[in-house]
Amino acid sequence: MELKTFSDHASLSAAAASMIIACVKRCPGALLCLATGDTPKLTYQMVVEYAKQEGISFEKCFFIGLDEWLGIPPENSGSCHYFLHTHIFKPLGIHPSQVYLFDALTRDEEAECEKMNKLIAEKGPVDLMLVGVGMNGHVGFNEPGTGLDTITHVAILDEVTRSVGQKYFQEKVSISKGITVGLKQVMQAKNLLMLANGKKKAPVIQQVVKQEISPKFPATIIRMHQNGILMIDSEAASAL
Ligand code: GLP
């Protein structure tokens, strides 16, 4: 793993956006797996800007979502579905046939996981995966205690995830379960970018970097990834 520290969120986002653009230049048919959340919002905005400036086409790429809140409809602005459409797919003009996101309203959770596993097996490995880190060290919805050999699964969300997750929603919602690409698939990505910014992530990043690599703190797995880059700003780096 490589650790890259940036002076602020803007320079971190610019670097992450450049890496996504470089990946698509290298491999126009790239399979990209993208997280949602406050951390990568600016990165996606910059990807859209750079793609326009440089005339980079994403029309041969395929996108998958990293995770989703089960039971939250796609039109809810707090859903991962809504986020990805708003911040990246619509602005880049991505056609629906280039995207596969989890169906949060599925009645068959097992089949929903199976669809993603099949898709990754057929189209994968993922060329570039961008993830954030939860306040409890989760990656996607791979919560503390998730096995390193886990593929796509439904997770019972822990207390930290449920309470922190309310920030994405305009009204109070019940978020008890998530569906997520598994840690094994995260590790199989050819390039793994893990982003964190801000003071509140400082103790989290300290654990990611210093704590033993363990399912107790899933984000520690970035340290085992051959092409893993942990990208943090100076605030998130302040406890290192
Ligand atoms: C959320 C998402 C993750 C995200 C993480 C960090 O709950 N499930 O995919 O990366 O937590 O979110 P944020 O960037 O808002 O801190």
Side-chain angles (χ1 to χ4, degrees), residues 77-164:
S77 60
S79 70
C80 300
H81 197 107
Y82 189 97
F83 177 102
L84 289 171
H85 276 281
T86 306
H87 296 287
I88 194 143
F89 301 151
K90 270 190 215 144
L92 278 180
I94 303 299
H95 191 267
S97 63
Q98 294 175 256
V99 176
Y100 184 74
L101 302 179
F102 289 116
D103 174 8
L105 304 180
T106 182
R107 289 196 186 154
D108 189 342
E109 294 172 358
E110 214 170 294
E112 197 54 33
C113 295
E114 207 29 62
K115 274 189 221 163
M116 185 61 92
N117 287 331
K118 201 163 165 249
L119 198 148
I120 294 176
E122 282 170 10
K123 290 191 189 285
V126 169
D127 291 288
L128 186 146
M129 187 178 292
L130 185 150
V131 300
V133 194
M135 292 304 291
N136 59 358
H138 74 201
V139 176
F141 282 134
N142 291 279
E143 296 283 52
T146 308
L148 299 182
D149 56 349
T150 316
I151 52 175
T152 304
H153 62 282
V154 168
I156 304 295
L157 301 177
D158 88 0
E159 263 319 306
V160 176
T161 303
R162 290 182 203 204
S163 61
V164 173

Side-chain angles (χ1 to χ4, degrees), residues 67-83 102-106 141 157 165-166 168-179:
D67 53 10
E68 185 57 279
W69 308 98
L70 272 180
I72 302 293
E75 56 276 11
N76 185 314
S77 60
S79 70
C80 300
H81 197 107
Y82 189 97
F83 177 102
F102 289 116
D103 174 8
L105 304 180
T106 182
F141 282 134
L157 301 177
Q166 293 295 333
Y168 305 117
F169 297 93
Q170 278 163 7
E171 288 162 14
K172 195 166 172 8
V173 285
S174 161
I175 38 176
S176 55
K177 286 208 267 184
I179 184 165

Side-chain angles (χ1 to χ4, degrees), residues 9 29 49 51-52 82 84 86 124 214-215:
H9 189 212
E49 269 171 38
K52 282 185 184 151
Y82 189 97
L84 289 171
T86 306
S214 149

Side-chain angles (χ1 to χ4, degrees), residues 1-16 19 194-199 201-202 205-206 209-210 228-240:
M1 178 201 81
E2 191 183 344
L3 172 65
K4 289 190 182 209
T5 306
F6 299 85
S7 54
D8 53 25
H9 189 212
S11 50
L12 157 69
S13 304
M19 286 179 195
M194 183 180 282
L195 272 49
N197 72 288
K199 251 213 141 54
K201 289 280 170 78
I205 291 305
Q206 188 195 37
V209 175
K210 305 262 162 134
I229 311 182
L230 177 59
M231 304 175 73
I232 56 178
D233 71 354
S234 55
E235 289 189 350
S238 60
L240 293 181

Side-chain angles (χ1 to χ4, degrees), residues 165-222:
Q166 293 295 333
K167 70 175 174 169
Y168 305 117
F169 297 93
Q170 278 163 7
E171 288 162 14
K172 195 166 172 8
V173 285
S174 161
I175 38 176
S176 55
K177 286 208 267 184
I179 184 165
T180 184
V181 166
L183 290 179
K184 186 174 179 184
Q185 292 155 322
V186 172
M187 285 303 288
Q188 284 169 344
K190 288 189 201 163
N191 296 284
L192 179 62
L193 305 184
M194 183 180 282
L195 272 49
N197 72 288
K199 251 213 141 54
K200 68 173 182 207
K201 289 280 170 78
V204 177
I205 291 305
Q206 188 195 37
Q207 298 205 64
V208 173
V209 175
K210 305 262 162 134
Q211 191 169 292
E212 62 164 332
I213 299 171
S214 149
K216 284 186 206 150
F217 212 76
T220 52
I221 65 161
I222 181 87

